[in-house]
Amino acid sequence: MNKDYYKTLGISKDASKEDIKKAFRKLAHEHHPDKGGNAEKFKEVSEAYSTLSDDSKRAQYDTYGSAGPAGAGGGNPYGQGAGGFGGFDFSGFNGQGGESFEFDLGDIFGDFFGGGGSGRRKQKKGRDISVDMELSFHDSVFGVEKKIRLNKVSKCKECQGTGAKAGTQMQTCITCDGHGKVREAKRSMFGTFMTEKVCDTCGGAGKIPKEKCFVCSGKGTLKREEELSVKIPADIDDGETIRLTGGGEAIKDGTTGDLYIKIHVKEDSLFRKEGKNLVTELNVKLSEAVLGVKVILKTLDGEIELKVPDGAQFGEILRIKGKGVPIGDGRRGDLLIKINIKIPTKLSKQAKKVFEELKEEGI
């Protein structure tokens, strides 16, 4: 029966090698017997991958199908006869003697067992840390340098993270013979899988201290309180997160994790941001709006004298250039002042008389 390998992997006929590999990874994870999956399904997707991942086999399959070209003497161009398929030999599963077979799928099955035959090892990384920081509105606009104290795992200062006593040398790890990895045999219903994992003794470094550091007992790290200085950039908003590379926890023979700082900005009673501009409101009396007035106005830079022109209208916007949010290169947005006119609710007899006269004049 002709098998549709593309359908088996859930891909199109013009799928790239990377698409084929990704599809196989996903299905192999799902159906792998060691993960409680379906052995027959695993065999099917392995057969499909074996054919489609090989350019010559794929070309023959696209031309003749899984049955192979006619007149080939009963042979199968994909190696899927009694001897197995595409390097996956299942002949040992005949129930007669319990023979096993051995093969290494490299990084395809590296995800299952923590290592692969490709010899590549993922760089270890310490734990990331997340903290919250509260800022005043002023500091969120102009930026600020803050100090924070963290109780975290850091590199040992005595041995500089090596785990070795000062002045002593490192020696080759006897467990992995300096390779940083050890091979393990894992048995399953498919036989024996040879895998590689990071050496537990040296943590993948391939070397261990001849004499351990007396401060960290050879761990290379220890937990202590540490003060960090953090530069908060200008124009940061509430809810934004700053990433400080290397500010997290340390790990021996690996990179330090990162520190994530979530910013919480306090609301200001006078100002708010609109893009790169700052907005505030100014209450003036009716007479001041009509005749004009000079007032002392608070800004984020300090107090300034502001002249409200005569005939100012309710809701009118006055603009002071360069007193807004920093843009960069020394430039800033503007300060926008919205005029609010306070209408009196109670008038003296004299004031009422004046307004009646103004009314008669059409004002």
Side-chain angles (χ1 to χ4, degrees), residues 103-275:
F103 60 91
D104 192 342
L105 293 182
D107 61 353
I108 293 295
F109 291 109
D111 294 337
F112 297 140
F113 306 119
S118 63
R120 293 177 302 204
R121 179 169 63 89
K122 187 177 180 180
Q123 177 71 44
K124 294 189 297 181
K125 184 182 177 182
R127 188 173 69 91
D128 293 336
I129 300 175
S130 178
V131 297
D132 294 272
M133 179 181 288
E134 191 172 65
L135 295 180
S136 66
F137 184 80
H138 178 280
D139 288 345
S140 76
V141 171
F142 295 110
V144 67
E145 187 167 337
K146 288 274 192 178
K147 293 187 182 296
I148 56 176
R149 299 190 72 85
L150 298 171
N151 192 24
K152 63 171 187 169
V153 176
S154 303
K155 281 189 176 181
C156 175
K157 291 183 178 180
E158 177 67 23
C159 66
Q160 297 299 312
T162 64
K165 181 180 177 181
T168 62
Q169 296 180 340
M170 303 290 285
Q171 63 184 11
T172 301
C173 175
I174 58 175
T175 303
C176 65
D177 197 26
H179 296 294
K181 294 174 289 184
V182 292
R183 291 178 66 85
E184 280 189 345
K186 289 183 177 288
R187 300 187 64 84
S188 73
M189 66 177 291
F190 284 95
T192 302
F193 290 84
M194 295 305 296
T195 64
E196 287 183 341
K197 72 167 190 173
V198 175
C199 176
D200 293 329
T201 303
C202 65
K207 293 182 179 296
I208 57 176
K210 197 169 184 179
E211 291 185 60
K212 293 181 179 180
C213 172
F214 67 92
V215 176
C216 64
S217 301
K219 295 179 181 178
T221 59
L222 46 79
K223 196 164 189 175
R224 67 168 184 265
E225 191 176 70
E226 189 173 337
E227 185 176 79
L228 297 177
S229 183
V230 182
K231 288 186 177 181
I232 308 299
D235 191 22
I236 194 166
D237 292 322
D238 182 70
E240 284 194 64
T241 299
I242 297 173
R243 177 186 176 187
L244 189 62
T245 303
E249 293 197 332
I251 188 173
K252 187 180 178 183
D253 303 317
T255 58
T256 304
D258 300 329
L259 174 63
Y260 292 87
I261 305 169
K262 187 170 183 179
I263 301 298
H264 302 276
V265 180
K266 294 180 183 178
E267 289 188 3
D268 193 273
S269 59
L270 296 178
F271 302 95
R272 69 179 187 276
K273 288 199 303 184
E274 285 188 3

Side-chain angles (χ1 to χ4, degrees), residues 346-359:
K346 293 182 180 180
L347 295 173
S348 65
K349 289 183 179 179
Q350 183 179 354
K352 191 171 183 180
K353 182 180 178 181
V354 171
F355 273 104
E356 285 176 348
E357 291 176 353
L358 292 173
K359 183 179 180 181

Side-chain angles (χ1 to χ4, degrees), residues 137 270-274 276-281 297-304 306 317-325 332-338:
F137 184 80
L270 296 178
F271 302 95
R272 69 179 187 276
K273 288 199 303 184
E274 285 188 3
K276 297 298 181 180
N277 296 325
L278 290 173
V279 180
T280 188
E281 296 186 4
L297 180 72
K298 288 183 178 181
T299 74
L300 291 182
D301 297 276
E303 294 183 342
I304 62 171
L306 174 70
I317 302 294
L318 303 181
R319 182 185 298 267
I320 302 179
K321 291 186 175 297
K323 292 293 183 180
V325 179
R332 292 173 58 179
D334 300 333
L335 174 62
L336 308 180
I337 303 107
K338 180 182 177 182

